[in-house]
Amino acid sequence: MCFCLQPSGENYANPKTCFFHVLFKAAALAFYILSALFVNSFVIIFVVTVFLAALDFWVVKNVSGRILVGLRWWNEIDEQGESVWKFECLDQESLARMNKKDSWLFWWTLYLAAVSWIFLGVFSLIRFQADYLLVVGVCLSLSIANIVGFTKCRKDAKKQIQQFATKTIASQFASSLQSAFSVV
């Protein structure tokens, strides 16, 4: 009996995508944590850590989100200057075929990376390192932007699936009624 949180019984459908999904998160966190041992320049630590976090943001938003969970989001500013969220998702059949292990890895690493940055931010506060708190703030902002974007996208996808199912059932019901009354 397995008490693990990870789905069992299937392999990753997209191991390379999963690897890169985790790689940039781990690289940004590892560089930030280990840089204190090897690098004396705050500017280098800031630039490299934020660059790795930005790579992670881009890979998650534009590559691994599409491949691992079938979702994509972006934000536009309309003519009135209002922020408008845009979402794309695969159709219901394709979403149902998504690999559960890929999806599990996507969501857990997305949340764990943000929790790690929060922990590092608290640690920076405790050590009174406001400059390092800036690095953590930028990296945490990028992580949270992906969490918010993909969470909204997932909710929108569920709403679209429900609307499609309701529309299909209503259409079937209407055509059944119509055929029943046309016989009479």
Side-chain angles (χ1 to χ4, degrees):
M1 178 175 244
C2 179
F3 291 104
C4 56
L5 296 172
Q6 184 177 6
S8 60
E10 62 182 317
N11 289 325
Y12 292 103
N14 303 289
K16 289 179 184 174
T17 305
C18 290
F19 173 76
F20 285 104
H21 178 75
V22 174
L23 176 69
F24 292 117
K25 285 174 187 36
L29 286 163
F31 183 82
Y32 176 79
I33 292 166
L34 297 175
S35 64
L37 302 173
F38 304 110
V39 181
N40 290 332
S41 171
F42 171 74
V43 173
I44 291 173
I45 294 169
F46 180 88
V47 169
V48 172
T49 304
V50 170
F51 177 72
L52 291 169
L55 282 175
D56 172 59
F57 175 81
W58 186 87
V59 166
V60 171
K61 185 177 168 302
N62 296 306
V63 180
S64 63
R66 277 182 168 175
I67 295 171
L68 301 180
V69 291
L71 302 172
R72 183 171 171 247
W73 67 271
W74 66 97
N75 193 297
E76 295 178 349
I77 306 299
D78 65 10
E79 293 81 28
Q80 292 81 26
E82 299 291 321
S83 177
V84 179
W85 288 85
K86 301 284 186 170
F87 307 109
E88 282 182 359
C89 68
L90 295 176
D91 58 43
Q92 181 180 1
E93 185 179 310
S94 299
L95 282 174
R97 287 193 315 251
M98 296 302 296
N99 183 287
K100 288 183 180 18
K101 231 176 187 178
D102 287 355
S103 179
W104 179 90
L105 178 84
F106 178 85
W107 291 107
W108 274 93
T109 56
L110 203 62
Y111 289 113
L112 285 175
V115 169
S116 299
W117 286 116
I118 290 169
F119 174 76
L120 291 170
V122 170
F123 191 69
S124 292
L125 276 173
I126 291 170
R127 295 186 64 200
F128 299 111
Q129 294 178 320
D131 48 353
Y132 286 91
L133 195 57
L134 178 64
V135 178
V136 171
V138 171
C139 295
L140 181 60
S141 297
L142 293 170
S143 289
I144 289 175
N146 264 333
I147 290 170
V148 169
F150 280 107
T151 301
K152 285 185 174 195
C153 191
R154 181 172 54 178
K155 287 179 182 177
D156 187 65
K158 287 179 182 178
K159 186 174 78 175
Q160 286 179 6
I161 289 169
Q162 288 172 344
Q163 287 174 345
F164 175 76
T166 304
K167 185 176 156 184
T168 303
I169 290 169
S171 173
Q172 289 292 334
F173 181 72
S175 66
S176 296
L177 275 177
Q178 186 180 17
S179 64
F181 284 117
S182 66
V183 172
V184 174

